[in-house]
Amino acid sequence: MAAYLIADVDITDAAVFEQYRREVPATEERHGGRYLARGGTTRVFEGDWEPHRLVIIEFPDMASLAAWYDSPEYERLKAIRFRSANTRIIAVEGIAPAPG
């Protein structure tokens, strides 16, 4: 069952974050990740949420998502992200496809 990483990224140092932005897609792809949204326009319909840069990445399953997030190759990039952005990240499982 697919799993989705949802991140709200508030970039605090654009120059440093650029390195993260350039290098992270290849690490996600190696774990089956693909972008569904990456910093596009957002619109809040309800609530007081004010997203910054919203990112949604689909992985084949939660195990693949967790393997990517915990991988040594991503650890280095996480350190760059921690220095250049404030981020809230969650993961959610998708729903099983309808039979037939």
Side-chain angles (χ1 to χ4, degrees):
M1 179 178 328
Y4 302 90
L5 179 131
I6 303 168
D8 182 8
V9 183
D10 182 11
I11 299 168
T12 57
D13 186 332
V16 173
F17 189 81
E18 180 59 24
Q19 179 184 0
Y20 174 86
R21 191 194 64 73
R22 277 193 325 268
E23 295 183 32
V24 75
T27 69
E28 295 157 346
E29 289 169 8
R30 283 192 282 278
H31 291 270
R34 71 181 186 102
Y35 284 97
L36 299 180
R38 189 178 187 195
T41 301
T42 59
R43 179 177 170 190
V44 176
F45 284 94
E46 294 184 23
D48 59 1
W49 187 20
E50 294 182 32
H52 298 88
R53 176 183 172 85
L54 198 60
V55 177
I56 303 172
I57 306 165
E58 179 182 53
F59 286 86
D61 50 45
M62 192 65 79
S64 298
L65 190 159
W68 164 75
Y69 188 83
D70 295 331
S71 69
E73 64 186 338
Y74 187 55
E75 281 298 316
R76 180 182 66 80
L77 295 175
K78 262 193 275 194
I80 294 168
R81 181 172 50 79
F82 292 156
R83 287 194 316 271
S84 62
N86 297 314
T87 310
R88 295 183 302 169
I89 297 175
I90 63 167
V92 61
E93 281 187 325
I95 57 174

